[in-house]
Amino acid sequence: MKKAMALIALALFVITALMTIYSFVFPFEAGHWLQGLWFGMIVVLCPVGLVLGVMSTGNPQPKFSTAAIIGHIVLAVFLVLYMTLGYLVFGV
């Protein structure tokens, strides 16, 4: 059960990271329904993945849960830095 939670947390991180990268490399047109999906995915899925990763720390292979925890923390920090630095420095 704990291994499944770790794999789900890792899958949530991978899906969110790939959508974030895709939206920056190939930006959507204004008004497209996928335009802010990466933002919503980070806000909604990072806490869920982080909780799943923390709950699965006792599994036999801790590298999955460790990668999921670190990945979700990096995505959350990226979102905060993107919003603050983008507003303060770049005027986005």
Side-chain angles (χ1 to χ4, degrees), residues 23-41:
S23 68
F24 277 100
V25 174
F26 305 108
F28 298 107
E29 296 178 4
H32 194 271
W33 65 280
L34 290 175
Q35 187 177 12
L37 183 64
W38 68 273
F39 182 84
M41 287 178 74

Side-chain angles (χ1 to χ4, degrees), residues 83-92:
M83 290 189 307
T84 56
L85 292 178
Y87 179 75
L88 295 175
V89 177
F90 302 116
V92 174

Side-chain angles (χ1 to χ4, degrees), residues 5-47:
M5 286 193 306
L7 289 175
I8 291 171
L10 192 61
L12 289 175
F13 163 67
V14 169
I15 291 169
T16 306
L18 287 177
M19 184 61 196
T20 303
I21 292 169
Y22 181 80
S23 68
F24 277 100
V25 174
F26 305 108
F28 298 107
E29 296 178 4
H32 194 271
W33 65 280
L34 290 175
Q35 187 177 12
L37 183 64
W38 68 273
F39 182 84
M41 287 178 74
I42 292 176
V43 168
V44 172
L45 295 181
C46 272

Side-chain angles (χ1 to χ4, degrees), residues 2-12 56 59 64-65:
K2 289 190 177 204
K3 186 175 180 180
M5 286 193 306
L7 289 175
I8 291 171
L10 192 61
L12 289 175
S56 67
N59 64 351
F64 293 135
S65 59

